[in-house]
Amino acid sequence: MLDTSARLLRLLSLLQTPRAWPGSELAERLGVSGRTVRNDVERLRELGYPVDAARGSTGGYRLGAGAAMPPLLLDDEEAVAVTLALRTAAQGAVPGTEETSLRALAKLEQVLPSRLRRRVRTLQAYTLAVPDDRPAPTLSADVLTTLVSACRDRERLRFDYLDHTGSATRRVVEPYRAVNWGRRWYLVAWDVEREDWRTFRVDRIQPRTPTGPRFTPREPPGGDAAAYVARGVSAAAWRHHARVTVHAPAAAVAERINPAVGTVEALDTDTCVLITGADTLQTLATYLGMLDFDFEVTEPAELLTHLRRLADRYARSTPPADTRDPA
């Protein structure tokens, strides 16, 4: 049988999993009586751990949220994962959290067993990240927390917003999700005044308090907020847009198209429309060639001209096929 201290740590480790534990199951796991389990639960409560208890067939013991953050027990893999995540955050993955991430990282590395510290330092020494070619936008962790809290609580949000031209507007929205793409964060929200979904860069948002009334959540745009951001942000940056009829089922084309590259709309079982774009006509033509399906370009006219020029070039580069009978 485990001694009292070891048993308490084992009990705490079990309670930190997100489920309710019947007393009988805890007693079996720990090899003790139900009375001992009840006594150990009281000891944890005296140490500041909020252990909730519920009666009934679906009841049991569960670790609740307290006024202060109690110590956590992490297994080896969890400790390594948290350490690496904190190190990534300290390097600016979420601008505005570098200092707090470093403090938490220092505390965690101080108590890591030597075997885990060696693993973490090896990963640190022999892994590299390519620096971003553009500076990360300044992002306030407090602002991000305010936005996601409003999403969680389903409360209308008022904020001042700077668009891409630097013009300031005031918005009233029903926030749905905060989406991370690369080193930028975006808020997907229903714009109350414009009566439509909109995407806002979080680093351009200045929330106003207090938040507004609660709202009934709507279905996310296209059923996927992340794909909505990818499509919207990419399309806004495209210099050339194209509408292409593809002679293939929509499902087959969609398998080859990332949401950030374009959208696919079925016309019938064997034909679909691809709406896509790119910064250059050359890139756009390359995307279409990689589809490996027959297609017809509807617009723009300059893309048609470029494809005809490519077709002529490819024709000149290929010698005529030998149609003579090999016999």
Side-chain angles (χ1 to χ4, degrees):
M1 180 185 297
L2 298 172
D3 61 33
T4 302
S5 298
R7 193 175 65 245
L8 285 176
L9 289 174
R10 175 61 177 154
L11 174 60
L12 181 58
S13 177
L14 292 172
L15 292 175
Q16 284 181 345
T17 57
R19 55 160 293 190
W21 288 89
S24 58
E25 187 173 350
L26 289 175
E28 181 180 353
R29 290 288 191 102
L30 299 173
V32 296
S33 65
R35 180 178 180 180
T36 300
V37 169
R38 292 191 293 272
N39 290 337
D40 286 347
V41 167
E42 286 303 318
R43 291 190 180 95
L44 289 179
R45 288 169 175 164
E46 292 172 0
L47 292 172
Y49 292 94
V51 182
D52 300 328
R55 297 181 180 277
S57 58
T58 60
Y61 295 103
R62 183 191 299 270
L63 193 64
M69 179 70 181
L72 297 176
L73 292 180
L74 302 174
D75 63 28
D76 286 6
E77 299 304 321
E78 291 169 341
V80 171
V82 171
T83 303
L84 294 177
L86 285 171
R87 190 176 298 281
T88 301
Q91 293 171 347
V94 182
T97 64
E98 295 92 341
E99 183 178 348
T100 51
S101 298
L102 279 173
R103 291 203 306 267
L105 180 61
K107 292 178 181 179
L108 183 57
E109 288 189 334
Q110 183 177 0
V111 298
L112 282 178
S114 58
R115 66 181 186 281
L116 298 185
R117 192 178 299 115
R118 177 180 172 83
R119 286 177 59 184
V120 169
R121 289 177 177 173
T122 299
L123 286 168
Q124 177 188 4
Y126 293 95
T127 57
L128 298 172
V130 176
D132 201 298
D133 57 357
R134 292 172 297 178
T138 302
L139 177 68
S140 166
D142 290 338
V143 169
L144 185 59
T145 300
T146 298
L147 299 184
V148 297
S149 297
C151 294
R152 177 199 61 199
D153 298 335
R154 301 173 181 175
E155 294 178 340
R156 281 191 176 181
L157 194 63
R158 300 178 302 124
F159 57 81
D160 296 321
Y161 187 70
L162 293 177
D163 63 19
H164 66 281
T165 66
S167 301
T169 59
R170 185 167 298 176
R171 302 296 184 96
V172 179
V173 304
E174 297 175 356
Y176 177 71
R177 288 291 187 275
V179 178
N180 175 232
W181 188 8
R183 303 194 72 182
R184 287 180 177 173
W185 286 85
Y186 299 88
L187 175 69
V188 176
W190 176 266
D191 192 309
V192 175
E193 296 179 353
R194 292 160 179 80
E195 296 185 342
D196 198 4
W197 289 99
R198 290 290 189 271
T199 299
F200 304 94
R201 272 181 50 173
V202 172
D203 58 294
R204 296 174 177 171
I205 291 177
Q206 184 58 50
R208 288 178 168 267
T209 55
T211 54
R214 293 175 64 87
F215 61 88
T216 301
R218 305 169 187 268
E219 286 296 319
D224 187 335
Y228 176 77
V229 169
R231 289 193 301 268
V233 173
S234 295
W238 290 337
R239 182 181 177 186
H240 301 280
H241 295 74
R243 184 179 180 87
V244 182
T245 300
V246 184
H247 297 283
V253 176
E255 288 180 355
R256 307 186 184 190
I257 295 295
N258 186 289
V261 174
T263 59
V264 180
E265 301 173 359
L267 292 179
D268 52 44
T269 56
D270 299 315
T271 313
C272 63
V273 170
L274 169 63
I275 300 173
T276 184
D279 291 338
T280 67
L281 293 174
Q282 291 82 356
T283 301
L284 193 47
T286 300
Y287 286 160
L288 296 177
M290 292 173 63
L291 282 176
D292 200 27
F293 293 125
D294 290 342
F295 62 86
E296 299 170 9
V297 175
T298 307
E299 56 185 45
E302 55 266 32
L303 178 59
L304 285 168
T305 301
H306 180 70
L307 289 175
R308 292 190 185 104
R309 188 162 53 245
L310 281 180
D312 291 341
R313 182 177 300 156
Y314 290 152
R316 291 192 302 270
S317 68
T318 306
D322 190 349
T323 57
R324 291 176 300 176
D325 188 345

